[in-house]
Amino acid sequence: MRLRTPLALLGAAVLVLAGPPLLSTGSDSETGTQIPGLRFMVPNTPGGGYDITARTAAKNAEDAGLTHNIEVFNLPGAGGTVGLSRLVSEHGNGKLAMSMGLGVVGAARSNHAPKTLADTTPIARLTEEQDVVVVAKDSPYKTIDELITAWKKDPGKVPVGGGSSPGGPDHLAPMLMAQAAGISPKSVNYIPFDGGGELLASILGNKVGFGVSGVGEYLDQIKAGELRVLAVTGPERVDDLEDAPTLKESGYDVDFTNWRGIVAPPGLSEAERNKLTRLVEELHASPEWKKSLEQNGWDDAFLAGEEFGAFLDAQDKRVVSVLKELGL
C-alpha cells in the first residue's frame, strides 16, 4: 500500500483464470499450467470489480491457451468474507482459487470475521487501479467542487455509495476525501453495497448523492454517458478519462489506489501452490492480459508468493491503523 499523505491508503486490483485445451506431454503435470477442474470464486456479485477482473482474466487465459474448463462462480456476502470463509474451509484444495483485494482485507476487519487472509495461501497481486467519483448523468453536481460544497453543507443528506464494506477501498476513499475537505468522517453517510454491480443501480437512480468505485468497473458507463465522472483518486489523470481531474489537483489532498489479487485455500502442497502461481505468472506475461490492463485502466502491480503474503500482512495492519486515525 502506498501512502502519499499521512492517511492516504493505497492499493490496487484482482483476477481469474481460464482457457482452451493445450497439447501436453507427460511432464505437464509438474511443469505446465493446466489444472483440470480448477474453479475460481468471485466473492461478490456479478458486475463488480472482482467479477470483471476474473472474467477478463478467464478469457485472456483461454485466448493464450494456458488452461481450459475453469469454472468462474460468484459467492457474495459480507463484503467478501462469506467467500473467504468458504475458501479457508477448502483446506488442501489445489483446484480452487479466489479473486480478492483491499475490500476483503477491510471487510474481514470491520465484520470481525473468524477467518482472515492470513489463513489463506497467497498466490499473486495482479493489478492496481484508481477509484472514480461518479454521479448519474442527470445529477445536479457537474464538478467535484459543486459536490463537495453540497456535501460540506449537510453530509448526512448527501449519501455516498461504495462497493465495499467499511474498511474497504470504496469506503476509505470517500472518508479520506471528507477529511481533506474538512468534513468529519464520522458524519459521512456511507452506504455499502456488495460490489460495484449492486452500487451502479443506486447511482443511476440517484438513490445516493455520489458513488465511489474502480475505474474498470464503470469505464463503459462513463464512456456511454450514463455516468459523469467528477474526479479520480490517484496521482495522475486516467488516459481514457483525461477530462476528470485528480482530487489532489482539485485542492483535496488525497492520493488513493486500490489493488486486486488471488489467494487459494490453506494447506496446499508445494506442487499445487507452484502450479497455481505458474499459471498466474504465465497469464501476467501474456499479450492478452497486457491488452486488458490497458483497456480497463488497470496498472500492472504483479507480486507473487511470499512477497504477496508480506504485502497482505502489511495491508491488514494499515487498514486497522487508518480506521483508527479516521476515528472509525
Side-chain angles (χ1 to χ4, degrees), residues 185-201:
K186 289 185 177 181
S187 70
V188 172
N189 182 9
Y190 177 75
I191 302 176
F193 294 83
D194 201 355
E198 283 193 358
L199 170 62
L200 179 60

Side-chain angles (χ1 to χ4, degrees), residues 36-286:
L38 179 63
R39 306 179 76 217
F40 206 93
M41 184 195 308
V42 178
N44 64 7
T45 55
Y50 301 153
D51 188 70
I52 291 172
T53 309
R55 296 181 191 282
T56 299
K59 184 178 187 307
N60 290 167
E62 178 180 345
D63 292 345
L66 298 176
T67 190
H68 66 285
N69 293 338
I70 295 180
E71 178 189 356
V72 181
F73 68 99
N74 297 76
L75 185 62
T81 57
V82 170
L84 175 62
S85 178
R86 164 71 178 277
L87 187 81
V88 174
S89 74
E90 296 276 348
H91 188 278
N93 185 353
K95 295 188 176 184
L96 179 66
M98 184 180 83
S99 61
M100 46 71 69
L102 179 57
V104 178
V105 178
R109 282 297 177 182
S110 62
N111 293 332
H112 305 289
K115 301 299 182 181
T116 71
L117 290 164
D119 298 306
T120 69
T121 298
I123 300 300
R125 183 185 69 187
L126 283 177
T127 63
E128 185 179 47
E129 72 170 337
Q130 301 193 39
D131 268 355
V132 287
V133 180
V134 293
V135 296
K137 62 182 179 181
D138 56 351
S139 167
Y141 310 122
K142 302 294 193 299
T143 67
I144 188 65
D145 286 332
E146 290 179 359
L147 170 63
I148 295 293
T149 297
W151 201 21
K152 290 178 72 172
K153 185 177 297 184
D154 193 341
K157 289 187 177 181
V158 185
V160 52
S164 59
S165 297
D170 299 350
H171 171 252
L172 292 172
M175 294 302 164
L176 293 167
M177 279 175 56
Q179 186 184 63
I183 301 169
S184 168
K186 289 185 177 181
S187 70
V188 172
N189 182 9
Y190 177 75
I191 302 176
F193 294 83
D194 201 355
E198 283 193 358
L199 170 62
L200 179 60
S202 288
I203 300 173
L204 294 175
N206 288 306
K207 295 180 180 179
V208 294
F210 66 102
V212 176
S213 194
V215 170
E217 292 178 72
Y218 292 159
L219 194 57
D220 288 345
Q221 289 81 7
I222 292 169
K223 289 182 176 180
E226 297 174 5
L227 293 177
R228 179 186 304 132
V229 58
L230 303 183
V232 297
T233 64
E236 299 176 350
R237 295 194 181 201
V238 175
D239 287 344
D240 286 332
L241 304 172
E242 289 89 351
D243 292 337
T246 67
L247 287 170
K248 183 164 285 190
E249 72 179 277
S250 300
Y252 308 102
D253 193 14
V254 176
D255 180 355
F256 177 93
T257 56
N258 180 30
W259 58 268
R260 297 191 181 99
I262 304 171
V263 292
L268 300 192
S269 68
E270 183 177 359
E272 289 171 326
R273 184 180 68 248
N274 289 344
K275 192 150 203 176
L276 276 169
T277 302
R278 186 160 55 246
L279 176 57
V280 177
E281 288 174 340
E282 293 279 349
L283 175 67
H284 168 252
S286 72

Side-chain angles (χ1 to χ4, degrees), residues 22-36 95 269-276 278:
L22 275 179
L23 294 176
S24 62
T25 66
S27 63
D28 181 72
S29 62
E30 295 184 1
T31 62
T33 58
Q34 294 194 63
I35 305 176
K95 295 188 176 184
S269 68
E270 183 177 359
E272 289 171 326
R273 184 180 68 248
N274 289 344
K275 192 150 203 176
L276 276 169
R278 186 160 55 246

